[in-house]
Amino acid sequence: MQNIKRIAGEIARASVPIVVVHGAGSFGHPQAKKYHIQQNPGTEGLVKTHRAVLELNTVFVEALQKEGFAATGIHPLDCLLAKRSVVKRWGVEIIERMVDFGVTPVIHGDVVMDTANGISVISGDQILTYLAKKLDVAVIGAGTAVDGVLDENGRTIPCITPSNFKEVSDYIRGSTDDDVTGGMRGKVLELLKLAESGIESVIFNADLSNMVFKFLSGEDICATRISGAK
Ligand SMILES: Nc1ncnc2c1ncn2[C@@H]1O[C@H](COP(=O)(O)OP(=O)(O)O)[C@@H](O)[C@H]1O
Ligand SMILES: [Mg+2]
């Protein structure tokens, strides 16, 4: 929670228009796992998982409001339709208009209605890549709790592209935390798809003080760039 407040402060200091997307962390993944949302979706799992992630969203929204942002939560369950765990339909014009109007949307990974599976989990990583394709954004950053994507010696891989992915793929794995959306591997695969459509992104450590500020200010940071370059 302290981290969220710090990050909200750093976003304010950078003073740039922003769309915030966050994952569920310990708010949502344990519930999605407990209720077997992916294998055996039911209403109790939907309600409990959604509620957990809403709590986290409220913390983020309030932290940004305290920093002076007109922040408001956007909840995928209410507006996004998936098919087989992939975003199928989502009218993002509302988000564009909010940003133009000076509002800061704070969107999150969520359990959503799914035309094939009943319900499914859509990760913050999927939300990020979907929006990156639809909105006109200058930079895309994925803040996580490690120094980007690490190699077998724990060193940050500076750049991952479709052509070097095979070389590094073996040591990009899931998460050691409760995570139902693929951990670092899920993140990199999502961002590689985005890179293939020509949109670069950066994975950096948002757990370290000042990193979000530096990223938003265009400063050089230790991070992994996900690029479509051959
Ligand atoms: N090669 C790797 N480099 C960095 N993290 C990795 C790697 N392989 C697996 N991981 C795991 O993935 C985690 C990051 O994914 P995740 O927990 O889903 O983060 P987030 O909550 O930011 O989505 C790391 O904390 C680490 O446990
Ligand atoms: Mg994750």
Side-chain angles (χ1 to χ4, degrees), residues 35-58:
Y35 294 101
H36 308 288
I37 284 203
Q38 268 119 324
Q39 304 81 16
N40 185 20
T43 50
E44 192 182 8
L46 170 122
V47 169
K48 295 268 167 67
T49 307
H50 180 64
R51 195 178 149 173
V53 81
L54 273 191
E55 255 178 65
L56 182 62
N57 184 253
T58 303

Side-chain angles (χ1 to χ4, degrees), residues 23-25 29 125 142-152 157 168 171-179 181-185 187:
H29 288 289
D125 304 327
T144 184
V146 284
D147 293 338
V149 186
L150 308 175
D151 67 14
E152 76 268 47
I157 301 167
V168 294
Y171 31 85
I172 308 175
R173 300 177 192 274
S175 180
T176 44
D177 300 332
D178 257 339
D179 183 296
T181 52
M184 188 55 87
R185 192 171 187 85
K187 199 181 299 297

Side-chain angles (χ1 to χ4, degrees), residues 50 74-81 90 107-112 127:
H50 180 64
I74 296 197
H75 317 301
L77 174 62
D78 307 345
C79 53
L80 179 161
L81 195 61
W90 185 14
I107 314 164
H108 51 87
D110 204 355
V111 50
V112 300
I127 301 277

